[in-house]
């Protein structure tokens, strides 16, 4: 396993289309889900859950995405519809992080949403720690009600992200990061 700090320093996203197989094994997927489910969670509400897409199920879910796309764009070309059908089949493993944040007597909903973000980030770092690359994306279908219905999300649930996981098909290059001087102030100075 790579040194943790080095991992944090070097992580970067790899586009879904550049993520190839073999994907994580069943045991590795279990590890990813385990690390993702031990994030900070104010009130221990477990305000998130996960949906795993692998193998043929990725295309079955893609049928719902393609159907929603066709409904939005009746004149879409067959190749565009085919692309939509394969949205979740670009990487060998996709894990949706579903936010279950809801009004609560004590815990602000915002904090529950943040916890779902932490779960998604743990998935991303977990994937890197196991030697895979990942990309946390939402894309249009994360906001389409008919797709969410097909994926089994109830009315109050939201997709925090579809975390795509696989092996980088080519060397990974970083992008510029914000200089700390732009984003850090020292209180009192
Ligand atoms: C909640 C969330 C949703 C995102 N959705 C998308 C997306 O739909 N498409 C996309 O290209 N990047 C999306 N991103 C950004 C990528 O995860 C990633 O940060 C970006 O490609 C830059 O790469 P980096 O992680 O190496 O900085 C999203 C990020 C977050 C936090």
């Amino acid at each position: 396993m790579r040194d943790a700090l080095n991992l944090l320093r070097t992580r970067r996203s790899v586009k879904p289309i550049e993520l190839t197989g073999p994907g994580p094994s069943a045991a590795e997927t279990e590890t990813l889900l385990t690390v993702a489910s031990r994030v900070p969670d104010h009130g221990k509400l477990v305000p998130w859950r996960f949906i795993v897409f692998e193998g043929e199920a990725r295309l079955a879910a893609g049928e719902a995405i393609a159907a929603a796309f066709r409904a939005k764009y009746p004149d879409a070309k067959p190749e565009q519809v085919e692309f939509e059908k394969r949205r979740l089949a670009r990487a060998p493993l996709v894990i949706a992080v579903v936010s279950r944040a809801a009004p609560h007597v004590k815990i602000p909903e915002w904090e529950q949403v943040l916890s779902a973000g932490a779960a998604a980030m743990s998935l991303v770092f977990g994937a890197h720690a196991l030697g895979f690359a990942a990309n946390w994306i939402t894309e249009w279908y994360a906001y389409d009600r008919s797709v969410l219905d097909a994926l089994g999300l109830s009315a109050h649930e939201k997709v925090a992200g579809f975390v795509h996981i696989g092996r980088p098909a080519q060397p990974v290059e970083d992008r510029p990061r914000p200089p700390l001087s732009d984003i850090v102030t020292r209180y009192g100075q």
Side-chain angles (χ1 to χ4, degrees), residues 1-12 125 128:
M1 197 169 292
R2 291 188 230 166
D3 168 65
L5 198 54
N6 188 44
L7 191 78
L8 292 164
R9 280 197 176 115
T10 58
R11 179 212 67 82
R12 89 133 304 174
F125 275 124
H128 281 261

Side-chain angles (χ1 to χ4, degrees), residues 2-3 7 20 26 32 61 74-75 102 108 112 128 166 170:
R2 291 188 230 166
D3 168 65
L7 191 78
T20 61
L32 292 173
D75 298 333
Q112 300 173 46
H128 281 261
Q170 51 207 55

Side-chain angles (χ1 to χ4, degrees), residues 127-138:
H128 281 261
L130 288 170
F132 296 95
N135 199 355
W136 171 0
I137 57 175
T138 42

Side-chain angles (χ1 to χ4, degrees), residues 10-16 117 120-121 124 134-143 159-162 172-177:
T10 58
R11 179 212 67 82
R12 89 133 304 174
S13 297
V14 173
K15 289 186 192 136
M121 200 63 227
V124 169
N135 199 355
W136 171 0
I137 57 175
T138 42
E139 301 187 316
W140 69 268
Y141 47 91
Y143 300 97
V159 170
F162 290 101
V172 178
E173 280 180 29
D174 203 6
R175 69 175 174 89
R177 302 292 164 174

Side-chain angles (χ1 to χ4, degrees), residues 34-41 48 115-116 118-120 122:
T34 302
V35 300
S37 56
R38 48 161 296 118
V39 291
D41 168 8
W48 26 257
S115 185
S122 284

Side-chain angles (χ1 to χ4, degrees), residues 1 17 30 39 41 51 66 78 80 93 108 123 141 158 160-161 165 175-176 187:
M1 197 169 292
I17 205 75
E30 179 106 0
V39 291
D41 168 8
I51 307 173
Q80 290 175 308
L93 174 67
L123 275 182
Y141 47 91
K158 290 191 173 72
I165 299 166
R175 69 175 174 89
Y187 184 71

Side-chain angles (χ1 to χ4, degrees), residues 53-139:
F53 302 90
E54 53 193 344
E56 288 301 306
R58 297 171 303 160
L59 289 172
E63 293 285 1
I65 296 174
F69 185 79
R70 269 195 304 264
K72 271 158 112 72
Y73 306 105
D75 298 333
K77 297 191 179 112
E79 56 269 29
Q80 290 175 308
V81 175
E82 184 60 23
F83 178 82
E84 297 300 332
K85 190 180 157 189
R86 300 197 62 79
R87 279 272 184 195
L88 296 178
R90 291 170 289 180
L93 174 67
V94 178
I95 300 178
V97 179
V98 177
S99 165
R100 308 198 280 191
H104 185 274
V105 63
K106 182 164 166 253
I107 312 299
E109 205 168 329
W110 161 239
E111 297 185 7
Q112 300 173 46
V113 174
L114 290 172
S115 185
M121 200 63 227
S122 284
L123 275 182
V124 169
F125 275 124
H128 281 261
L130 288 170
F132 296 95
N135 199 355
W136 171 0
I137 57 175
T138 42
E139 301 187 316

